């Protein structure tokens, strides 16, 4: 039966609005009474906007959830978004352009290509935590401006050296290392600057736009960089990338909203907080399994990508433009994976989606060593490989991030994310070095075969480990269903 009238709240929250519960209200006109304290769907936070009501028969009914209104973002956020989009295009293009120039201009060996690649990724592992500690208590926008302008100057210097035919592999690696350090600083500063520019209510909408931009540029920009190398040449492309960073700095400079003063720094407390985030991540079976799998995958994925540059140019006789096309079209697979991830989850659940997405991404590189055939057929097979690779990896990433956000408490989410980034990105530069050395000792084709086999072994371990995790911990899907 319905609860006594005396116990009804004076107002009940529904879909973010306060609705009177007295005579003549929405409830009484429909012969219903609000449940005392039932302001959300069972199992979901009160802020979800779902409502459960009492019917005259004493039963409950879920009235569902109204779709939230997307907050209006300011023009200053638009300038930050433009700066991030432009700088990400330059940063992700450079990841392929610099080692590709080492192959085309300097006839670099696989080991030297691995050195240039490692120089780009090593700062992510070394600088990230130090940059976070240094930025604590300092203004973030000036740091981002300095990082953009510094990368513009470094790439402009590299363009002049290439034009003068005065570049060497070690010099190219040194420039890649310095650009990587500034990139790590800019990435950390951008993540900490956003909450000072955007109101708390608009943070999800702002982060959604930035993450979508990052996903597209991460897959498409390296391939476009390869196409540009063949179209305009190395020195012109490096100068263009430097100019791109200058444009990003100009967008940041046009932001009008003043940055609030930073809070005081806390040295030992910061170290303790980092330890708390790492301990929580390691102590959660789903988060631990996702982090270990991502680190393992990034290690051998980078081995394959490093060796693929040499294998495609020297053994498959791909032009720089054709090489770029095979990689860039992986973005189409990523877009398809993002669109279909929800549908896959509805059929097989969260764990099934993660396992199947990682299976596709891990098995796709096995097709690369099979491309000992005419160039058009080899190019088509490599393109299909990267399409499948982008599809599976995006499906995995969509629910990996969602699960991390669901399981980590709000006060630990930032530190859990930092722990993931430190561990999973830290294996990339190791993979670049290992790939270069292995290709020199074993050859490009055997190295790709062994790395692809290692990816499959990692997937088997991931499938077994996640099967042992308590099923109730894979609960992010239920929350997403309520949000739709």
């Amino acid at each position: 039966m319905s609860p006594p009238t005396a116990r009804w709240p004076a107002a009940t929250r529904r879909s973010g609005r306060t609705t009177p519960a007295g005579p003549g209200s929405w409830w009484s006109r429909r012969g219903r009474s609000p449940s005392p304290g039932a302001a959300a769907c069972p199992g979901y936070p009160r802020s979800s906007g779902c409502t459960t009501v009492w019917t005259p028969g004493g039963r409950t009914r879920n009235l569902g959830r109204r779709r939230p209104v997307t907050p209006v973002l300011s023009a200053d956020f638009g300038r930050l978004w433009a700066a991030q989009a432009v700088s990400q295009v330059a940063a992700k293009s450079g990841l392929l352009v610099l080692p590709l120039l080492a192959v085309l201009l300097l006839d670099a060996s696989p080991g030297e290509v691995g050195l240039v690649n490692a120089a780009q990724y090593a700062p992510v592992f070394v600088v990230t935590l130090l940059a976070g500690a240094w930025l604590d208590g300092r203004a973030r926008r000036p740091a981002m401006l300095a990082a953009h302008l510094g990368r513009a100057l470094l790439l402009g210097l590299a363009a002049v050296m290439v034009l003068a035919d005065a570049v060497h592999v070690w010099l190219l690696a040194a420039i890649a290392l310095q650009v990587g350090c500034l990139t790590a600083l800019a990435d950390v500063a951008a993540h900490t600057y956003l909450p000072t520019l955007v109101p708390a209510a608009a943070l999800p909408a702002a982060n959604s736009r930035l993450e979508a931009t990052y996903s597209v540029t991460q897959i498409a920009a390296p391939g476009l960089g390869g196409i540009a190398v063949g179209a305009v040449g190395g020195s012109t492309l490096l100068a263009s990338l430097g100019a791109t960073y200058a444009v990003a700095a100009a967008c940041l400079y046009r932001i009008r909203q003043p940055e609030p003063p930073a809070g005081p720094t806390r040295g030992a407390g910061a170290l303790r907080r980092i330890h708390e985030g790492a301990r929580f991540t390691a102590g959660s079976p789903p988060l631990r399994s996702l982090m270990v799998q991502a680190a393992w995958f990034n290690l051998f994925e980078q081995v394959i990508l490093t060796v693929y540059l040499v294998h495609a140019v020297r053994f498959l006789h791909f032009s720089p433009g054709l090489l770029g096309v095979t990689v860039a079209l992986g973005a189409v697979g990523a877009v398809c994976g993002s669109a279909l991830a929800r549908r896959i989850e509805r059929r097989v659940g969260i764990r099934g989606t993660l396992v199947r997405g990682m299976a596709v991404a891990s098995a796709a590189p096995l097709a690369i060593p099979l491309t000992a055939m005419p160039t058009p057929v080899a190019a088509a097979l490599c393109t299909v490989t990267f399409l499948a690779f982008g599809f599976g990896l995006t499906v995995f990433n969509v629910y990996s991030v969602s699960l991390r956000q669901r399981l980590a408490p709000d006060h630990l989410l930032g530190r859990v994310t930092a722990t993931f980034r430190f561990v999973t990105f830290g294996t990339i530069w190791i993979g670049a070095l290992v790939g270069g050395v292995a290709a020199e000792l074993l050859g490009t084709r055997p190295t790709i075969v062994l790395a692809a086999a290692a990816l499959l072994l990692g997937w088997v371990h991931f499938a077994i480990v996640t099967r042992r995790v308590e099923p109730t911990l894979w609960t992010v899907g239920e929350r997403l269903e309520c949000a739709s």
Side-chain angles (χ1 to χ4, degrees):
M1 60 183 296
S2 301
T5 305
R7 294 181 57 191
W8 293 354
T12 301
R13 185 164 296 278
R14 180 181 185 270
S15 301
R17 299 180 180 178
T18 301
T19 306
S25 67
W26 185 92
W27 306 98
S28 60
R29 288 197 304 270
R30 288 157 176 78
R32 297 172 182 168
S33 304
S35 170
C41 294
Y44 302 104
R46 184 174 296 267
S47 60
S48 65
C50 299
T51 307
T52 303
V53 299
W54 288 87
T55 64
R59 298 183 178 182
T60 61
R61 180 185 176 188
N62 186 353
L63 296 182
R65 180 185 188 269
R66 296 171 67 96
R67 189 176 297 276
V69 178
T70 302
V72 177
L73 296 168
S74 66
D76 280 338
F77 169 76
R79 298 182 182 103
L80 174 64
W81 188 12
Q84 286 297 100
V86 170
S87 64
Q88 285 294 319
V89 169
K92 302 309 178 186
S93 298
L95 294 178
L96 185 137
V97 168
L98 291 178
L100 184 58
L101 289 178
V103 174
L104 297 176
L105 301 180
L106 305 174
D107 196 27
S109 66
E112 291 171 330
V113 174
L115 176 67
V116 175
N117 247 351
Q120 297 185 95
Y121 286 108
V124 177
F125 181 71
V126 177
V127 176
T128 298
L129 294 180
L130 298 177
W134 183 77
L135 286 169
D136 190 14
R138 290 178 171 85
R140 281 82 175 193
R141 189 162 72 104
M144 297 170 65
L145 282 168
H148 291 333
L149 293 176
R151 287 181 288 183
L153 290 175
L154 286 169
L155 290 175
L157 177 62
V160 171
M161 289 189 297
V162 170
L163 188 62
D165 198 21
V167 70
H168 187 270
V169 169
W170 291 96
L171 191 57
L172 199 61
I175 292 176
L177 180 65
Q178 295 174 70
V179 170
C181 290
L182 293 175
T183 298
L185 174 64
D187 288 345
V188 175
H191 281 88
T192 55
Y193 176 60
L194 181 64
T196 69
L197 186 67
V198 174
L203 275 177
N207 277 314
S208 175
R209 287 162 173 76
L210 291 174
E211 288 300 322
T213 302
Y214 175 78
S215 298
V216 172
T217 55
Q218 185 179 26
I219 297 175
L224 296 176
I227 297 173
V229 168
V232 301
S235 60
T236 303
L237 179 57
L238 289 174
S240 301
L241 293 180
T244 303
Y245 282 121
V247 171
C251 293
L252 277 179
Y253 183 76
R254 292 190 60 216
I255 294 178
R256 297 291 179 257
Q257 180 176 327
E259 187 173 354
T265 58
R266 294 171 53 188
L271 293 177
R272 186 177 66 252
R273 292 195 300 272
I274 290 173
H275 178 261
E276 289 175 355
R279 184 174 58 185
F280 178 87
T281 305
S284 171
L287 296 181
R288 184 175 63 245
S289 62
L290 289 173
M291 183 175 65
V292 171
Q293 173 59 26
W296 178 270
F297 183 88
N298 286 344
L299 173 65
F300 291 100
E301 174 206 28
Q302 192 58 40
V303 171
I304 294 172
L305 293 179
T306 299
V307 179
Y308 176 70
L309 293 177
V310 181
H311 183 74
V313 172
R314 294 185 179 169
F315 296 95
L316 301 180
H317 308 292
F318 286 2
S319 66
L322 183 57
L323 172 65
V325 168
T326 61
V327 177
L329 286 179
V332 177
V335 172
C336 294
S338 177
L340 297 177
R342 184 69 178 279
R343 188 174 300 179
I344 297 172
E345 184 273 329
R346 286 172 175 169
R347 288 181 174 270
V348 299
I350 294 297
R351 178 191 167 274
T353 303
L354 290 167
V355 171
R356 285 163 173 78
M358 184 51 63
V360 174
S362 299
L366 282 173
I368 295 177
L370 305 178
T371 53
M373 51 190 68
T375 298
V377 180
L381 186 57
C382 288
T383 301
V384 172
T385 295
F386 283 102
L387 281 170
F389 179 84
F391 176 85
L393 188 59
T394 302
V395 169
F396 176 85
N397 283 337
V398 165
Y399 281 97
S400 175
V401 174
S402 299
L403 189 64
R404 187 168 70 216
Q405 294 172 341
R406 172 67 175 88
L407 295 180
D410 289 341
H411 69 283
L412 284 176
L413 181 57
R415 282 167 280 175
V416 169
T417 302
T419 301
F420 261 79
R421 184 178 178 87
F422 181 75
V423 173
T424 59
F425 280 50
T427 60
I428 294 178
W429 68 277
I430 299 175
L433 285 177
V434 170
V437 173
E440 286 196 345
L441 296 176
L442 304 175
T444 58
R445 193 185 306 274
T447 300
I448 295 175
V449 170
L450 291 176
L455 288 180
L456 284 178
L457 288 176
W459 168 74
V460 171
H461 175 267
F462 177 68
I464 294 173
V465 168
T466 55
R467 193 176 185 85
R468 297 174 181 173
V469 174
E470 176 63 34
T472 57
L473 294 178
W474 307 102
T475 56
V476 65
E478 297 176 1
R479 182 181 180 185
L480 294 179
E481 285 297 328
C482 181
S484 65

